[in-house]
């Protein structure tokens, strides 16, 4: 059974080694039955989730916000994208990601703001999803 695991975190998260090791362990545990999911941010934890998921040849999907453009890994239909920028698109994306995944692994540095990550974690917990926070 495929495991959809959200690898999310702060834009400020810079310990790419922890993210790489986590994804490597997931690949060893689930093999081809793992899908890595991120929010599609080009910085921080999302950036490294994408990089290492693809480096390890795992299935990768991202829930990039509606004001961005659809890409090869986008989870939503093309009509979802290209909207005018508004912060609510980030929070809507967080709900969609939390609903889609089976688990969340959140990379949050101790002293950096992570409002979007915390919002996604909150939604996942409301849905009864398992959440692991790594600092």
């Amino acid at each position: 059974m495929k495991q959809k695991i959200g690898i999310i975190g702060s834009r400020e998260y810079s310990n790419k080694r922890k993210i790489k090791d986590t994804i490597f362990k997931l690949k060893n545990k689930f093999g081809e039955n793992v899908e890595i999911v991120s929010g599609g941010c080009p910085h921080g934890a999302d950036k490294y989730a994408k990089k290492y998921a693809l480096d390890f040849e795992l299935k990768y999907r991202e829930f990039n916000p509606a004001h961005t453009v659809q890409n090869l890994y986008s989870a939503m239909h093309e009509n979802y994208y290209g909207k005018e920028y508004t912060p609510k698109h980030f929070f809507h994306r967080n709900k969609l990601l939390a609903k889609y995944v089976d688990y969340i692994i959140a990379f949050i540095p101790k002293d950096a703001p992570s409002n979007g990550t915390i919002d996604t974690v909150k939604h996942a917990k409301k849905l009864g999803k398992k959440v692991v926070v790594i600092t």
Side-chain angles (χ1 to χ4, degrees):
M1 183 170 134
K2 176 131 346 231
Q3 298 294 308
K4 296 178 281 189
I5 302 176
I7 305 286
I8 62 169
S10 169
R11 291 180 182 105
E12 310 301 319
Y13 197 85
S14 61
N15 189 339
K16 60 185 177 182
R17 180 71 178 196
K18 274 189 185 179
I19 296 172
K20 182 179 184 180
D21 290 347
T22 299
I23 293 174
F24 183 75
K25 288 175 186 172
L26 292 170
K27 180 179 179 170
N28 283 340
K29 182 173 183 177
F30 298 111
E32 296 297 313
N33 292 320
V34 67
E35 177 179 327
I36 303 299
V37 182
S38 89
C41 181
H43 309 287
D46 288 5
K47 171 185 172 181
Y48 298 121
K50 180 177 187 175
K51 176 184 176 12
Y52 295 120
L54 297 176
D55 283 356
F56 292 135
E57 299 180 340
L58 297 172
K59 182 168 172 123
Y60 172 77
R61 181 165 297 203
E62 65 187 33
F63 282 81
N64 47 318
H67 62 269
T68 61
V69 295
Q70 184 183 33
N71 65 52
L72 180 63
Y73 307 105
S74 295
M76 304 303 289
H77 187 273
E78 65 186 38
N79 294 340
Y80 176 80
Y81 298 101
K83 308 293 189 281
E84 187 172 322
Y85 172 84
T86 176
K88 73 179 182 181
H89 291 153
F90 291 105
F91 295 102
H92 182 249
R93 175 271 314 266
N94 297 344
K95 286 182 187 178
L96 295 173
L97 191 152
K99 186 175 181 181
Y100 180 79
V101 299
D102 299 308
Y103 305 97
I104 295 271
I105 302 173
F107 291 88
I108 305 174
K110 289 183 180 174
D111 48 357
S114 301
N115 295 338
T117 305
I118 291 166
D119 183 61
T120 308
V121 165
K122 179 183 75 173
H123 290 301
K125 285 182 176 179
K126 275 186 192 175
L127 294 166
K129 310 283 176 107
K130 183 176 178 185
V131 174
V132 175
V133 175
I134 298 174
T135 56

